[in-house]
């Protein structure tokens, strides 16, 4: 308890021991159900991950080969780090396989767009025939221009104050 300006503040819960105990049990039950559901989804995706990898190979085989090369380079640089990375890849196989599928799809989709843009830029860089048109620019008479400037200066009495 804390007493401040004549007021009493208490920080204890308002429920009885049984209510708090039941609340804790319900909370733990909800957490356990969530973990169970996440585990079931993980197992389902783990068994489906070969399908995702095969789909990645069909869409863009370079993505999977580059991923395997990256793991191989990790082994060459440091065998212990390579084993750690391989273990993480196996544990996270559902996420890795879905990531490879998305990456293969994106490379296929945006690779086509890139090729179209390159073809368009090659077409834009081609020479365009044109006809040169001569335009005549009017020649200004400096004397007339000077006279019109002096005329506007003298017509404004405010400018005379600064001369």
């Amino acid at each position: 308890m804390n007493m401040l300006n004549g007021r009493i503040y208490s920080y204890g819960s308002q429920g009885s021991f049984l209510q708090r105990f039941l609340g804790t049990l319900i909370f733990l039950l909800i957490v356990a159900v969530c973990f169970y559901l996440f585990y079931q989804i993980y197992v389902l995706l783990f068994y489906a991950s070969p399908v995702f990898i095969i789909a990645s190979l069909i869409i863009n085989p370079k993505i999977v080969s580059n991923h395997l090369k990256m793991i191989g380079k990790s082994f060459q640089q440091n065998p212990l780090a390579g084993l750690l990375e391989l273990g993480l890849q196996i544990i996270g196989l559902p996420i890795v396989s879905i990531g490879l599928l998305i990456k293969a799809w994106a490379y296929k989709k945006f690779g086509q767009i890139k090729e179209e843009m390159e073809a368009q830029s090659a077409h834009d860089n081609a020479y365009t025939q044109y006809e040169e048109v001569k335009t005549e620019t009017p020649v200004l008479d400096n004397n007339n221009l000077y006279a019109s400037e002096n005329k506007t200066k003298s017509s404004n009495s405010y400018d005379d104050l600064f001369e």
Side-chain angles (χ1 to χ4, degrees):
M1 267 198 262
N2 187 5
M3 191 165 202
L4 183 65
N5 293 334
R7 296 183 184 168
I8 298 174
Y9 297 96
S10 65
Y11 300 110
S13 69
Q14 301 300 325
S16 67
F17 175 75
L18 183 61
Q19 288 174 336
R20 288 182 283 162
F21 183 72
L22 284 175
T24 303
L25 281 179
I26 291 171
F27 173 73
L28 291 176
L29 182 67
I30 291 171
V31 169
V33 167
C34 287
F35 276 129
Y36 178 74
L37 290 175
F38 288 139
Y39 174 74
Q40 292 300 320
I41 292 170
Y42 174 79
V43 169
L44 178 69
L45 289 176
F46 194 85
Y47 288 126
S49 57
V51 175
F52 296 140
I53 292 173
I54 291 170
S56 301
L57 283 169
I58 291 171
I59 294 172
N60 192 347
K62 287 182 181 180
I63 298 297
V64 178
S65 65
N66 287 341
H67 187 74
L68 293 175
K69 287 177 187 176
M70 185 223 16
I71 294 173
K73 285 181 185 177
S74 178
F75 270 109
Q76 289 175 353
Q77 291 175 355
N78 186 353
L80 186 60
L83 280 174
L84 181 65
E85 184 174 353
L86 182 64
L88 289 173
Q89 295 283 333
I90 291 171
I91 290 171
L93 185 62
I95 296 169
V96 171
S97 61
I98 291 171
L100 288 173
L101 180 63
I102 292 171
K103 190 174 181 182
W105 174 79
Y107 272 64
K108 181 181 178 187
K109 180 77 173 171
F110 295 116
Q112 291 173 350
I113 293 173
K114 183 180 176 186
E115 290 170 2
E116 290 173 6
M117 290 178 66
E118 287 174 354
Q120 180 66 25
S121 68
H123 176 70
D124 290 344
N125 289 339
Y127 291 110
T128 306
Q129 291 193 9
Y130 67 95
E131 182 178 334
E132 194 170 319
V133 178
K134 292 185 179 182
T135 58
E136 293 184 21
T137 57
V139 179
L140 296 176
D141 187 15
N142 286 340
N143 293 332
N144 290 341
L145 182 64
Y146 222 30
S148 64
E149 281 183 15
N150 288 335
K151 188 177 178 184
T152 56
K153 276 188 177 181
S154 62
S155 66
N156 192 350
S157 61
Y158 184 75
D159 288 336
D160 294 338
L161 296 174
F162 295 102
E163 288 181 356

